[in-house]
Amino acid sequence: MSDVSSSDPVIVYTDGACSGNPGPGGWAALLRHGDNERILTGAETHTTNNRMEMMACLEALRAMKRPMHIRIHTDSAYVQRAFAQGWLANWQKNGWKTASKKPVENQDIWQQLLEAAAPHRVEWIKVKGHAGNPDNERVDGLAVFAMKEHQEANRTGR
């Protein structure tokens, strides 16, 4: 991203995809700041949809070179609510246990997300998936493409 005032938010759209849950998965993030745009994608051989949703957010945050105001748009209620509704604070306070005393799933990525988000002012915005939002549809397609490319590379040994 370009070096511009952090008063202008970086707009981020993220999505994850999984073929089977668990199964092969992909993630994508679209970062937009002013006229600058950047796409990030990745994939894993064996994962879950929630992990891919989280990885998209994590890699978007890691791409920031300095503290920024960031608006992350996600269609994952799991990710958005964890931040916006204080789930993460409660999980940490309870030793990474849920209200039902079970270990929090994906603790490794949650901890990385907390660390990556710490220097920034992040707004977590829930968008409805597959509802015609052009940027959400775009990252959905990119996540699916990343997953399929990864599957093909594994199948053919590329």
Side-chain angles (χ1 to χ4, degrees), residues 15-69:
D15 204 9
C18 208
S19 180
N21 199 19
W27 59 265
L30 164 65
L31 292 69
R32 191 175 292 128
H33 196 246
D35 294 333
N36 299 312
E37 185 174 284
R38 183 173 176 194
I39 299 288
L40 306 171
T41 61
E44 294 183 17
T45 302
H46 188 76
T47 189
T48 65
N49 191 68
N50 279 340
R51 288 183 74 84
M52 293 294 90
E53 296 280 359
M54 296 166 72
M55 285 302 299
C57 296
L58 176 59
E59 294 304 330
L61 289 167
R62 284 179 172 166
M64 303 299 152
K65 303 292 186 222
R66 61 187 176 82
M68 298 293 289
H69 175 197

Side-chain angles (χ1 to χ4, degrees), residues 5 7 16 27 30 39 43 52 54 66 71-72 74 83 86 89-92 110 116-117 127 142-143 147 152 154:
S5 169
S7 63
W27 59 265
L30 164 65
I39 299 288
M52 293 294 90
M54 296 166 72
R66 61 187 176 82
R71 289 188 180 133
I72 296 182
T74 177
F83 282 94
N90 287 336
W91 292 338
Q92 290 176 85
W110 286 124
V127 295
L142 289 165
M147 174 188 65
E152 181 64 17
N154 283 342

Side-chain angles (χ1 to χ4, degrees), residues 100-121:
S100 60
K101 307 293 184 219
K102 294 181 181 167
V104 171
E105 290 186 28
N106 304 307
Q107 178 183 340
D108 59 330
I109 300 179
W110 286 124
Q111 288 173 323
Q112 293 174 64
L113 270 167
L114 284 166
E115 183 179 330
H120 307 290
R121 189 175 104 201

